């Protein structure tokens, strides 16, 4: 813990989820601001490439070894970095001793409110999951108070477990299937839960710095940070009952003016198609949302919707296969529009959609290809599966620590 | 001219058009980088609020008066700032003397290659147009060599005129109706000119630092910088024969992975609609591009397409009014998708579309409203009209100077 590390953040339009690197931070252009950015550079460098010696860090970030040593000393004192070399009293900072991010300091807590489940996980600065709990529970139509009481119980259990291991919660990000205001607390509309204008901050323990985020956005960030060879410009599409997307541009999440960007589910696919709850007609969700696909296949929506569809498709059920083929076509039409507007490096299917990819992809890809001049945008499937949003939520807290270590050092 | 101002730019993915402020620059986090950012802050502050005294600049940007004086002295020596106070030898920097951006130093040269015209203008650091030339000439199907030879002649005349007034060209931005690669030199595809994979850099005088940019993007930047009460998050839609858009997010132009973002004209509106040159079907351009509207109205495409349509609509021609109504509907469908994906603060119609707005807007707005849950995204009309892209091109050079004054000071 080190007082000079701390400095008030500049006021601003408020980033709802942290950036992926220090270079985008709008810290003030003063000696203290520069110092904070350099602390962040050290953390990001050791996190990405560690263990590293002080000399190696210095050469990576282009500062002198002396400057880096001062920064490292503060980060070690704050419990964010650890020295891996043989620890001899009074010689902690000696040359050659390797540095790593701490496996004990701050932890990121991620939580997810799904239509059919609640989940919590805690991730340390190294990205390791240190605690995890899932509860299957039908949340549709239940009051926010009831749901968040249950979530809090899960949460406190997970936090208790990591505190026993010497970690402390640096913050909590809750992923929800709905539109979240830019205050990062208020769920404006979550139609599949039946919630609207709900301030989750008032219903969760005040001790955790809170961020509420759209689950599709959390899934997209997980792909950015944890995906295999993930590009920096991509559109991450995920679905539960609704269909959402995360727009990632140059490694940053595009939030939109109100925080509502990425509503791919309400892009018109056939403008005279069936009515949608949003007021429109022929929205993508009417063709490729889980319930729409079940309906098209003549099946009843139950709890494990994706499992049911994947199982039947695997068995060769023609109605299910046709329904998934048509859903892929609708996704291809909506994605043609999105690709024309955003020119991403790739499209990634994540969340529940990843489990249905074998039957969605052929028609999706061919639709995209035939509507595109030049080579079509590549479409891939996320390897994170349905865990994406929860991991993205927890890692967004960790990224916040790497982006501005000074902000948590005080609380260490 | 001052050596310490200059420092090599960091290598990076290359911003194709400059940012709107110094805060986003990825200058290195060193004393020199900080100095360059602070030079930019001084320039932006005086540009936006000047004339200002040194003390006023210091209080605006939160630096000491001494620090600001050193920065100001360099900018005055480089010819980027002027002292407006009574100039007495040896007392140039005395307190109280007001500062303004120079009306003599660097100028931004904008050029436009349209389907039916060529245009050039020169703008000084104060944003005043100092020279301007337009030539009506049908460029469709003409070779890039021929067109750029004519453009160069216009260009040299405009530059000669400003040089006579003590200005010098800091750079040239050429707006083209087509897709431009991220090298900001190569026109990948400009179907309405018939150009593809054309390196304009090889066809223009080497003495001007060159940026080639999509004309819809230039129009969007003009709206951002010069529009009345323009928001910082908006979608700027413009049309000639094709339909393009500029996606502006938090005051930055979204370029896309290849530089092709904003291709609103190829968003599918009716997926089984008429074939489009892009390979798709039912693209927006098939319903709302100038030639499509003329065709729908039973008119022959000539040179002044917008003038013809506006004139007939004004006279109450029912076929033209119906064609424009349907074009507005198609725009509304495509914009519903765009608004869902991007959540902009507003949509602005610019370029040729602004002249047809009275007949497009009613159906456009009602389509957007009926397809949107909650309040629909506001749609307004640019006051810049068809001049937007040319002004945006010239101002992008000026913005580049304000963003990094050190980069031009050397050449002053």
């Amino acid at each position: 813990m080190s007082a000079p590390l701390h400095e008030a953040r500049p006021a601003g339009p408020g980033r709802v989820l942290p950036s992926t690197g220090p270079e985008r931070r709008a810290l003030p252009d003063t000696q203290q601001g520069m110092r904070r950015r350099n602390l962040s550079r050290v953390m990001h460098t050791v996190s990405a490439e560690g263990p590293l010696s002080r000399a190696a860090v210095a050469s990576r970030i282009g500062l002198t070894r002396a400057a880096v040593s001062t920064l490292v000393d503060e980060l070690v004192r704050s419990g964010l970095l650890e020295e891996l070399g043989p620890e001899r009293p009074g010689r902690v900072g000696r040359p050659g001793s390797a540095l790593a991010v701490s496996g004990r300091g701050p932890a990121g807590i991620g939580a997810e409110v799904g239509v059919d489940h609640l989940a919590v996980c805690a991730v340390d600065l190294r990205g390791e999951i240190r605690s995890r709990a899932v509860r299957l529970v039908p949340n549709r139509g239940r009051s926010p108070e009831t749901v968040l009481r249950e979530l809090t119980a899960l949460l406190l259990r997970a936090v208790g477990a990591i505190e026993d291991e010497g970690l402390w919660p640096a913050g909590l990000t809750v992923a929800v299937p709905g539109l979240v205001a830019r205050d990062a607390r208020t769920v404006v509309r979550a139609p599949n839960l039946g919630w609207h204008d709900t301030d989750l901050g008032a219903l969760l323990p005040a001790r955790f710095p809170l961020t509420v985020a759209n689950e599709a956005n959390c899934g997209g960030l997980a792909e950015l940070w944890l995906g295999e060879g993930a590009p920096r410009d991509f559109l991450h599409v995920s679905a539960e009952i609704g269909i959402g997307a995360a727009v990632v541009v140059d490694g940053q999440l595009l939030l939109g003016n109100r925080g509502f960007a990425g509503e791919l589910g309400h892009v018109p696919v056939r403008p005279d198609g069936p009515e949608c709850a949003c007021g429109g007609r022929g929205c993508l969700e009417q063709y490729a949302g889980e319930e729409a696909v079940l309906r098209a296949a003549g099946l009843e929506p139950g709890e494990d919707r994706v499992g049911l569809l994947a199982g039947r498709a695997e068995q060769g059920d023609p109605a299910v296969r046709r329904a998934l083929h048509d859903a892929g076509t609708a996704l291809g039409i909506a994605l043609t529009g999105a690709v024309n507007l955003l020119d991403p490096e790739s499209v990634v299917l994540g969340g529940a959609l990843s489990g249905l990819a074998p039957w969605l992809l052929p028609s999706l890809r061919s639709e995209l290809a035939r509507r595109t001049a030049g080579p079509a945008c590549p479409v891939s499937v996320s390897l994170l599966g349905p865990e994406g949003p929860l991991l993205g939520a927890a890692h967004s807290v960790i990224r916040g620590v790497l982006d501005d270590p000074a902000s948590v050092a005080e609380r260490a």
Side-chain angles (χ1 to χ4, degrees), chain A residues 111-121 132 134 136 175 215-216 218-220 222-223 226 236-240 290 304-307 349-357 381-393:
Chain A
E112 189 181 9
V113 178
V115 176
D116 302 311
H117 75 289
L118 295 173
V120 172
C121 80
R132 194 171 168 288
V134 180
L136 294 179
E215 67 165 359
C218 290
E223 192 62 28
L226 310 172
H236 182 264
V237 183
S238 56
E240 247 198 323
E290 285 175 3
D304 182 15
R305 298 174 296 273
V306 169
L349 298 191
L353 283 182
S354 57
L356 299 172
V381 180
S382 171
L383 300 178
L384 299 172
E387 288 281 79
L390 182 64
L391 289 174

Side-chain angles (χ1 to χ4, degrees), chain A residues 264-278:
Chain A
L264 188 73
H266 299 287
V267 168
V269 167
R270 300 188 183 275
D272 305 316
E275 280 184 21
C276 180
C278 76

Side-chain angles (χ1 to χ4, degrees), chain A residues 134-220:
Chain A
V134 180
R135 236 193 111 173
L136 294 179
V137 47
N139 289 320
R140 207 200 287 237
R142 289 170 89 211
S143 77
E145 290 74 13
T146 311
V147 172
L148 292 193
R149 204 176 308 123
E150 282 188 25
L151 185 69
T152 300
L154 275 191
L155 192 60
L156 294 179
R157 217 172 311 144
V159 169
I162 61 159
E163 282 175 342
D164 289 346
E165 299 186 34
L167 288 147
W168 58 273
L172 165 66
T173 296
V174 181
V176 296
L179 299 178
V180 178
R182 291 213 51 150
D183 68 359
R185 286 174 56 113
T186 305
V187 177
V188 176
R189 230 177 13 250
N192 293 315
L193 295 172
W195 298 1
H196 61 93
D197 301 313
T198 306
D199 176 3
L200 299 199
L203 304 173
L204 287 164
R207 60 178 280 222
F208 308 117
L210 175 67
T211 302
V212 179
N214 174 272
E215 67 165 359
N217 282 345
C218 290

Side-chain angles (χ1 to χ4, degrees), chain A residues 361-411:
Chain A
L361 274 180
S363 55
L364 191 170
R365 284 193 175 126
S366 85
E367 198 66 26
L368 200 53
R370 78 186 187 91
R371 292 182 182 276
T372 308
C377 184
V379 182
S380 63
V381 180
S382 171
L383 300 178
L384 299 172
E387 288 281 79
L390 182 64
L391 289 174
H395 276 266
S396 75
V397 176
I398 294 304
R399 288 281 160 164
V401 175
L402 299 181
D403 283 355
D404 192 9
S407 67
V408 296
E410 224 200 9
R411 297 189 289 124

Side-chain angles (χ1 to χ4, degrees), chain A residues 79-105:
Chain A
L80 302 183
L81 288 184
E82 283 176 13
E83 306 260 4
L84 297 183
E87 292 184 35
R88 292 188 231 161
R91 300 200 55 192
V92 167
R94 79 188 203 294
S97 156
L99 298 163
V101 290
S102 172
R104 319 240 291 179

Side-chain angles (χ1 to χ4, degrees), chain A residues 41 153 192 324 340:
Chain A
R41 287 211 170 125
N192 293 315
L324 289 170
N340 269 299

